[in-house]
């Protein structure tokens, strides 16, 4: 015996609705057959029980119960004209799979000639109605249960946008009770800012096509939840209270995971960069230290020389002849290797300052590279962002390639510049990796130009290239051709997410194996999505 | 005698300028030259004999590890120093095999000078140049073929217990020598606090030990081994392990790590001379009692190697003086005396060293040292037999 949602106390509102329709149909049957009693007896979780009765109150009379068992056993309508229960007629309520749910029956104490015609057919048609309703209700429940698991709510709405049915997960997601939600407009439950867009989605949803919207839901306590709203329309003679079918998906978990993936990717590239950055700092520190020590000893030598000069100039030691003084000075100059110091000291100072500038600019670049984006976009100079990224990643690139920059005039671009830096870095590191196994040094060309209100950034290498069959896959998360431990395959996935999803731009790859790869990024200057996506 | 020649290699000219200036005080003692690539360095070494090369690691074209590997083959007499600001472990392993000494950038001129001056010292009294040539060409020491599988299975096991890795490393001559060489430098993680294998393995980290073992083993293939050589080294190894076991109870606690390292490395010269070098025309005699190859004493080669690799002085001295009759000093046995005592005690066991006889009188004098009188004199032969048996088990399994 199957247990059916509609007659199961699991979902009270729905069970009550089913009980009421059972009552109506039982009444209809009693009226049609002219009997005193009618009822719907079901086999639910707790065993056999009377779901709805007409003409009496509480439970299935025992003789009737026995006859119900027979109906279920024989799976066909049974009519008894003069039995222990007097007149009895019953038809089984079956699921589409043929499983019995219960019995619709009519009965009377008095056995009397049947009102003509006592057709079993009518009873069976009415019983089938109940089977169908139970089945629909079960299906609904199965579907919504599956959606509950992925954090989604299923709802039906009428043509004018009033909610007519909604899955019970709605209550746990938003805190709005299902009962008080049904009958209210869909738009009422969305954030004020997106209400117009939601309305547009509802009216524009066509038959057979799905309209989606990224928007925010309002909970009972006034909080918002980021959701995906998808709506489609049933065409044709369907019940007009169920003309629109919608699914609302909770995006909180997905957003969190995206955030984590982005974070992981940043950590990955940071880990890789940190070794290179350490080297870029250690090198100048080494020569600045060496030069400074040299300057200290040069100063001592110069000081000693000056002491000698002073002695030579000292008139109190009058007895020293001019020639002797000159000889003393020349000797001291030679001992000091004055010529060497004269050439080397300025160079040592210059190179030390240069070393300090190298460290300083690297530290500046790191600071601006890791610029923490606020939620809002800001106008940024992308040429500067590219130069910054190049400084930070210099150690990744300099052993394998020469970088040529061809930076055109770019207007300030409204963007999340920290995220774009990360994209530039990923592309640059990939280019360096593509050049790694070449015999001779490779070349990386970075070009920028403005095309109307679009900033175009191209980053090209003459490395190993990407085979045509892989070009489709490179933007997929976790796709990587690098050996284990070298990359997690999130770099280009992040690039796509940042450029397309976050900035409404485009990213395209042109590559020929053996010749090289070019990535072209197009970003709208004003932050509004490009048409030609 | 000519001035020692030192060659500096770095792709960053400013580093070379800085070194030139800060080492200017040494211009009277050394001849220094500076080149910006591996190719130039090899040309310079080809054209003029040099004594020391100091190289950067990461350079375009030929990198430091590659350059130093070439130098080890073409100019084994040139001491190889790494001076690098790079810290990635993978690159460090490559260079750990190729270099003799390791300096990190930034290093002050004093450290650079100290290392170069140490390397300009040749330790062999009788055959300085030959001993340097033979020892200088060594990049790693082999594990005996019969034990490679066991050791690599142990070290490749990602679940290996730290303590079993330490035990395995402390029984392997090559790995012990390499780890002590590296632990002396900040290059490979934290500088070890002592020379016990415990602190060394903890300082460099297990992954580095595993990577070093694999990288070192790659230089050796079992087909190059002559079975006779393997047999002789097996004997020497057992003696070394037994000495290391026994010396633990002879040396004072402060000297114990040094004494155990010296005991294990006492015949490292034999390993260098017998293992896989039969191509050379100075091919050594395959006699278990032999102590020289091509006229150069094994011991001189071993000591030169430990010196080049920068092992602690007490260890190098103890190895150098293993065969010198020990004159007991009142101050204590020291590392040298302890190693010598353990070595001689084992001559009456199965783990004896066939190249030396027994020195009963000298041994009696050493054992009478106050440091050892806590144990009755007849305790020691039994302890020696026990150490010998432990070493036997260790070598057989």
């Amino acid at each position: 015996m199957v247990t059916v949602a509609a007659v199961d106390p699991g979902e009270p509102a729905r069970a009550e609705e089913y009980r009421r329709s059972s009552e109506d149909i039982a009444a209809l049957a009693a009226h049609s057959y002219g009997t005193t009693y009618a009822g719907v007896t079901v086999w639910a979780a707790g065993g056999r029980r009377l779901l709805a009765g007409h003409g009496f109150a509480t439970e299935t009379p025992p003789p009737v119960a026995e006859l119900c068992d027979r109906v279920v056993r024989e799976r066909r309508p049974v009519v008894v004209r003069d039995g222990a229960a007097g007149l009895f007629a019953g038809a089984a309520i079956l699921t589409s799979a043929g499983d019995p749910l219960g019995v619709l029956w009519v009965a009377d104490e008095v056995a009397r000639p049947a009102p003509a015609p006592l057709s079993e057919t009518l009873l069976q048609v009415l019983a089938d109605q109940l089977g169908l309703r139970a089945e629909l209700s079960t299906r609904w429940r199965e579907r919504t249960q599956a959606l509950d698991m992925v954090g989604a709510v299923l709802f039906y709405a009428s043509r004018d946008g009033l909610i007519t049915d909604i899955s019970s997960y709605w209550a746990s997601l938003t805190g709005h009770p299902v009962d008080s939600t049904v009958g209210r407009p869909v738009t009422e439950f969305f954030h004020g800012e997106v209400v117009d867009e939601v309305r547009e989605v509802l009216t524009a949803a066509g038959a057979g096509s799905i309209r989606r919207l990224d928007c925010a839901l309002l909970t009972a306590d006034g909080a918002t939840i980021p959701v995906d709203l998808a709506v489609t329309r049933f065409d044709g003679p369907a019940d007009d209270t169920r003309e629109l079918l919608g699914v609302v998906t909770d995006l909180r978990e997905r957003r969190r995971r995206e955030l984590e993936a982005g974070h992981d990717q940043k950590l990955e590239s940071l880990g890789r960069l940190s070794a290179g950055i350490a080297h870029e700092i250690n090198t100048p520190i080494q020569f600045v230290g060496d030069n400074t020590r040299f300057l200290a000893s040069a100063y001592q030598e110069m000081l000693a020389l000056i002491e000698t000069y002073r002695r030579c100039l000292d008139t109190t030691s009058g007895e020293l002849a001019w020639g002797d003084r000159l000889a003393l000075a020349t000797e001291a100059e030679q001992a000091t290797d004055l010529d060497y110091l004269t050439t080397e000291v300025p160079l040592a100072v210059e190179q030390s300052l240069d070393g300090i500038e190298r460290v300083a600019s690297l530290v500046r670049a790191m600071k601006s590279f890791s610029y923490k984006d606020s939620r809002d976009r800001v106008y940024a100079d992308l040429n500067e962002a590219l130069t910054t990224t190049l400084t930070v990643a210099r150690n990744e690139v300099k052993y394998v390639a020469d970088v040529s920059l061809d930076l055109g005039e770019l207007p300030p671009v409204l963007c999340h510049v920290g995220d774009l830096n990360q994209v530039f870095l990923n592309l640059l590191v990939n280019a360096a990796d593509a050049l790694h196994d070449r015999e001779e040094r490779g070349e990386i060309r970075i070009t920028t130009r403005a095309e109307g209100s679009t900033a175009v950034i191209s980053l090209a290498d003459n490395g190993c290239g990407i085979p045509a069959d892989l070009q489709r896959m490179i933007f997929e998360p976790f796709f990587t051709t690098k050996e284990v431990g070298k990359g997690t395959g999130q770099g280009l996935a992040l690039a796509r997410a940042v450029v397309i999803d976050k900035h409404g731009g485009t990213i395209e790859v042109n590559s020929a194996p053996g010749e090289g790869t070019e990535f072209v990024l197009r970003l709208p200057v004003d932050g509004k999505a490009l048409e030609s996506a | 005698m000519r001035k020692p020649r030192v060659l500096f290699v770095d792709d960053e000219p400013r580093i070379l300028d800085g070194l030139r200036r800060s080492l200017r005080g040494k211009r009277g003692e050394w001849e220094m030259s500076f080149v910006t690539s591996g190719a130039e360095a090899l040309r310079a070494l080809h054209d003029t004999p040099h004594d020391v090369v100091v190289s950067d690691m990461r350079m375009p074209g030929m990198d430091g590890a590659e350059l130093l590997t070439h130098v080890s083959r073409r100019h084994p007499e040139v001491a190889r120093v790494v001076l690098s600001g790079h810290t990635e472990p993978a690159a460090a392993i490559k260079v750990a095999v190729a270099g003799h000494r390791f300096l990190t950038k930034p290093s002050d001129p004093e450290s650079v000078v100290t290392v170069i001056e140490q390397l300009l010292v040749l330790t062999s009294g009788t055959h300085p140049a030959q001993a340097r040539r033979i020892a200088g060409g060594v990049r790693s020491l082999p594990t005996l073929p019969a034990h490679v599988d066991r050791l690599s299975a142990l070290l490749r096991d990602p679940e290996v217990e730290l303590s079993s890795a330490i035990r395995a490393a402390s029984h392997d001559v090559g790995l012990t020598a390499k780890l002590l060489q590296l632990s002396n430098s900040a290059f490979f993680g934290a500088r070890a606090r002592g020379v016990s294998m415990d602190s060394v393995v903890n300082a460099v980290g297990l992954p580095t030990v595993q990577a070093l073992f694999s990288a070192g083993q790659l230089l050796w293939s079992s087909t190059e081994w002559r079975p006779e050589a393997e047999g002789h080294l097996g004997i020497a190894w057992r003696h070394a392990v037994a000495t290391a076991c026994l010396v633990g109870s002879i040396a004072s606690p402060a000297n114990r790590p040094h004494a155990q390292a010296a005991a294990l490395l006492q015949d490292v010269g034999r390993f260098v001379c017998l293992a896989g070098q039969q191509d050379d025309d100075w091919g050594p005699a395959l006699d278990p009692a032999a102590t020289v190859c091509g006229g150069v004493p094994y011991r001189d080669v071993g000591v030169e190697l430990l010196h080049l690799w920068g092992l602690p002085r007490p260890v190098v001295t103890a190895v150098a003086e293993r065969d010198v009759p020990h004159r007991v000093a009142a101050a204590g046995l020291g590392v040298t005396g302890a190693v010598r005592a353990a070595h001689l005690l084992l001559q009456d066991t199965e783990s004896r060293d066939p190249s030396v006889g027994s020195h009963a009188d000298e041994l009696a004098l050493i054992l009478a040292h106050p440091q050892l009188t806590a144990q009755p004199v007849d305790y020691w032969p039994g302890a020696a037999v026990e150490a010998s048996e432990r070493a036997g088990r260790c070598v057989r399994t």
Side-chain angles (χ1 to χ4, degrees):
Chain A
M1 178 68 56
V2 289
T3 298
V4 167
V7 295
D8 199 21
E11 226 176 330
R14 216 160 286 285
E16 176 55 27
E17 188 193 322
Y18 191 74
R19 198 193 59 75
R20 255 186 267 123
S21 31
S22 300
E23 229 168 51
D24 291 350
I25 285 177
L28 186 63
H31 179 78
S32 303
Y33 290 95
T35 57
T36 320
Y37 309 110
V40 174
T41 296
V42 294
W43 279 261
R48 191 177 52 204
R49 110 188 129 82
L50 181 72
L51 183 68
H54 176 80
F56 61 100
T58 49
E59 64 187 77
T60 319
V64 170
E66 268 170 41
L67 285 162
C68 284
D69 286 348
R70 197 178 133 200
V71 171
V72 165
R73 226 174 17 249
E74 294 178 8
R75 305 262 166 109
R76 61 177 185 82
V78 169
V79 177
V80 178
R81 286 176 195 280
D82 197 9
L87 175 73
F88 173 88
I93 304 169
L94 301 169
T95 67
S96 60
D99 294 318
L101 297 173
V103 176
L104 170 67
W105 53 265
V106 292
D108 216 327
E109 292 128 348
V110 188
R112 55 188 164 85
L118 181 64
S119 148
E120 307 148 3
T121 317
L122 178 63
L123 202 60
Q124 187 63 62
V125 166
L126 292 175
D128 286 350
Q129 261 311 304
L130 281 172
L132 210 60
R133 285 197 187 200
E135 176 111 352
L136 277 174
S137 186
T138 307
R139 284 216 193 123
W140 164 265
R141 167 126 149 175
E142 278 166 5
R143 268 178 216 163
T144 57
Q145 251 174 358
L147 286 167
D148 289 357
M149 283 190 263
V150 295
V153 173
L154 183 77
F155 70 87
Y156 285 102
S158 60
R159 183 172 307 168
D160 46 1
L162 298 179
I163 294 171
T164 50
D165 205 347
I166 192 155
S167 62
S168 58
Y169 183 63
W170 172 257
S172 33
L173 179 67
T174 61
H176 297 296
V178 168
D179 287 351
S180 64
T181 302
V182 172
R184 286 161 67 188
V186 176
T187 48
E188 200 176 294
F189 298 97
F190 286 86
H191 194 269
E193 277 181 21
V194 294
V195 161
D196 288 343
E197 289 169 78
V198 171
R199 190 171 295 125
E200 207 255 314
V201 163
L202 294 177
T203 48
S209 74
I210 298 169
R211 289 287 301 241
R212 312 191 81 97
L213 182 68
D214 228 9
C215 53
L217 207 59
L218 283 174
T219 67
D221 51 13
T224 56
I225 299 171
V227 292
D228 173 68
L229 169 68
V231 181
T232 190
R233 180 179 298 270
F234 291 121
D235 221 358
D239 179 1
D240 74 346
T241 63
R242 293 187 163 221
E243 189 166 315
L244 296 170
L245 170 68
V247 176
V248 173
T249 311
D250 181 2
L251 295 181
R252 282 175 301 184
E253 178 68 10
R254 192 189 300 173
R255 286 279 149 79
R256 215 197 65 231
R257 259 187 261 143
E258 280 167 1
L259 207 66
E260 271 174 11
H263 196 61
D264 286 353
Q265 210 281 325
K266 277 188 183 168
L267 281 181
E268 180 200 340
S269 54
L270 213 66
R272 177 163 172 176
L273 280 185
S274 66
I277 287 172
H279 184 249
E280 288 300 306
I281 291 177
N282 287 338
T283 300
I285 296 287
Q286 171 76 46
F287 70 74
V288 168
D290 282 344
N291 283 328
T292 310
R293 270 168 239 262
F294 164 71
L295 289 172
S297 75
Y299 170 75
Q300 286 303 332
E301 289 178 55
M302 296 284 225
L303 202 63
L305 187 60
I306 290 170
E307 293 290 331
T308 312
Y309 286 150
R310 277 194 180 155
R311 250 187 297 134
C312 292
L313 291 175
D314 191 357
T315 47
T316 56
S317 55
E319 63 274 17
L320 213 56
W322 178 248
D324 291 344
R325 289 173 204 247
L326 203 59
L328 200 63
T330 315
E331 191 193 335
E333 282 179 12
Q334 270 164 3
T336 317
D337 200 352
L338 194 59
D339 289 347
Y340 178 82
L341 294 184
T342 316
T343 14
E344 290 294 313
V345 166
L347 279 177
V349 171
E350 187 195 311
Q351 292 182 5
S352 298
L353 292 176
D354 165 76
I356 289 165
E357 176 50 33
R358 269 202 221 169
V359 176
S361 68
L362 182 59
V363 172
R364 272 199 302 272
M366 281 163 65
K367 237 169 116 182
S368 107
F369 179 82
S370 54
Y371 175 80
K372 209 166 159 25
D373 269 348
S374 60
R375 273 189 58 147
D376 298 320
R377 294 176 288 183
V378 292
Y379 280 98
D381 179 348
L382 292 189
N383 286 339
E384 194 187 303
L386 280 162
T387 324
T388 294
T389 306
L390 200 56
T391 308
V392 174
R394 194 175 109 91
N395 200 260
E396 300 301 317
V397 173
K398 71 172 182 184
Y399 297 100
V400 292
D402 297 311
V403 179
S404 65
L405 285 176
D406 175 11
L407 305 179
E409 281 286 314
L410 280 186
V413 173
L414 187 60
C415 64
H416 297 279
V417 69
D419 289 337
L420 286 180
N421 279 336
Q422 192 66 38
V423 172
F424 299 153
L425 175 69
N426 292 344
L427 295 177
L428 202 58
V429 164
N430 281 350
D433 285 345
L435 291 164
H436 207 271
D437 296 325
R438 277 167 52 112
E439 284 295 305
E440 69 270 38
R441 270 173 91 70
E443 201 198 338
I444 295 174
R445 266 175 299 111
I446 302 177
T447 322
T448 60
R449 61 180 191 276
E451 273 177 13
S453 61
T454 306
V456 183
I457 297 150
S458 148
L459 198 143
D461 65 65
N462 57 350
C464 54
I466 306 167
D469 57 327
L470 295 187
Q471 286 181 22
R472 276 180 306 111
M473 290 146 77
I474 54 174
F475 293 107
E476 296 301 322
F478 306 109
F479 174 81
T480 183
T481 58
K482 298 180 186 179
E483 56 195 281
V484 175
K486 267 211 96 177
T488 56
Q490 293 182 50
L492 287 175
L494 182 104
R496 181 170 70 174
V498 167
V499 173
I500 297 177
D501 304 343
K502 255 187 158 167
H503 290 89
T506 65
I507 182 166
E508 111 195 16
V509 57
N510 308 312
S511 183
E515 284 173 32
T517 303
E518 181 192 25
F519 283 90
V520 181
L521 277 52
R522 283 166 204 277
L523 293 163
V525 169
D526 55 7
K528 295 206 177 106
L530 294 175
E531 286 303 312
S532 61
Chain B
M1 211 179 107
R2 67 170 174 86
K3 271 199 233 171
R5 286 203 193 91
V6 185
L7 177 66
F8 293 88
V9 194
D10 201 304
D11 63 315
E12 170 62 69
R14 310 234 139 148
I15 289 281
L16 296 177
D17 284 348
L19 286 168
R20 195 197 327 257
R21 294 186 189 116
S22 67
L23 298 176
R24 183 165 170 259
K26 285 282 158 190
R27 69 190 184 284
E29 297 163 51
W30 308 337
E31 258 179 51
M32 291 177 266
S33 36
F34 303 84
V35 295
T36 55
S37 75
E40 276 180 88
L42 287 179
R43 258 198 306 282
L45 293 171
H46 176 78
D47 294 344
T48 332
H50 277 77
D51 299 282
V52 181
V53 57
V54 180
S55 173
D56 186 17
M57 239 160 79
R58 200 161 173 193
M59 297 183 282
M62 188 190 303
D63 68 11
E66 205 181 332
L67 167 66
L68 294 185
T69 305
H70 281 307
V71 174
S72 74
R73 294 211 183 100
R74 298 186 202 171
H75 310 284
E77 71 284 358
V78 179
R80 307 183 290 275
V81 182
V82 174
L83 173 61
S84 172
H86 269 286
T87 48
E88 314 91 291
I93 297 296
K94 257 169 79 187
V95 94
V97 175
H100 288 142
R101 301 287 184 101
F102 310 93
L103 292 168
T104 47
K105 278 179 193 160
S107 277
D108 51 34
E110 291 76 27
S111 327
V112 178
V113 168
T114 307
V115 164
I116 292 174
E117 280 180 342
Q118 281 176 12
L119 291 173
L120 289 174
V121 173
L122 304 183
T123 55
S124 170
T126 50
H127 302 80
Q130 286 129 298
R132 166 63 59 101
R133 254 188 97 68
I134 300 168
V138 175
R139 281 173 288 140
S140 84
L141 290 165
T143 294
L144 290 179
H147 296 273
V148 169
D149 291 344
R150 187 175 56 93
L151 201 54
S152 56
L154 184 66
L155 289 177
R156 279 193 198 124
D157 178 5
E159 304 282 301
V160 63
E161 294 263 339
L162 191 61
S163 59
S164 16
I166 291 170
R167 204 175 323 116
S170 67
H171 284 159
D172 189 72
V173 176
L175 207 47
T176 299
K178 200 57 162 176
L179 286 171
L180 290 175
Q181 177 193 18
L182 301 186
S183 66
N184 214 7
S185 159
F187 215 88
F188 303 91
R191 200 184 284 256
R193 274 210 294 273
V195 294
S196 73
M197 270 302 125
D198 247 337
S199 56
V200 171
V201 173
N202 274 315
V204 302
L206 195 51
T208 305
V209 177
Q210 293 167 324
L212 272 174
F213 177 75
S214 313
Q217 264 344 101
L218 289 181
L219 301 179
W220 300 95
S221 93
S222 54
T223 55
E224 283 175 21
W225 285 83
R226 291 164 298 175
E228 317 90 279
E230 201 186 329
H232 296 332
L233 289 181
I235 293 167
W237 185 34
R238 178 170 175 178
H239 179 69
V241 173
T243 315
C245 287
L246 186 57
V247 84
S249 45
I250 296 177
S252 67
N255 285 335
R256 194 170 294 147
H258 280 138
Q260 284 176 324
L264 193 72
L265 300 175
Q266 60 181 299
D267 256 332
V268 69
R270 190 183 296 268
F271 275 78
V272 171
C273 292
L274 287 186
Q277 304 242 9
Q278 71 273 35
D279 302 342
D280 287 82
D281 43 15
W282 49 265
L286 282 173
D287 170 2
T291 57
V292 290
C293 62
V296 187
Y298 290 159
R299 190 148 307 282
D300 286 20
V301 172
V303 170
E304 183 68 11
L305 179 86
L306 301 181
H307 165 70
L308 266 174
W309 286 17
L311 263 65
R313 257 203 112 65
V315 175
V316 182
T317 310
V319 173
E321 297 184 2
R322 193 205 70 176
D323 291 341
V324 179
H326 188 71
R327 298 206 359 231
V328 182
L333 278 176
V335 175
T336 305
V339 172
R340 172 88 178 151
H343 160 67
L344 292 179
L345 271 167
L346 287 162
Q347 290 305 92
D348 287 333
T349 69
E350 278 180 41
S351 301
R352 65 184 295 272
D353 177 349
S355 67
V356 279
S358 69
H359 293 67
D361 298 347
E362 185 196 346
L363 187 58
L365 272 176
I366 299 176
L367 294 181
H369 191 281
Q371 190 179 321
L372 300 180
T373 48
Q375 306 286 358
V377 175
D378 57 2
Y379 163 81
W380 294 108
V385 169
E386 197 185 308
S388 162
E389 278 165 6
R390 271 173 66 190
R393 280 198 296 278
C394 168
V395 172
R396 264 194 305 275
T397 49

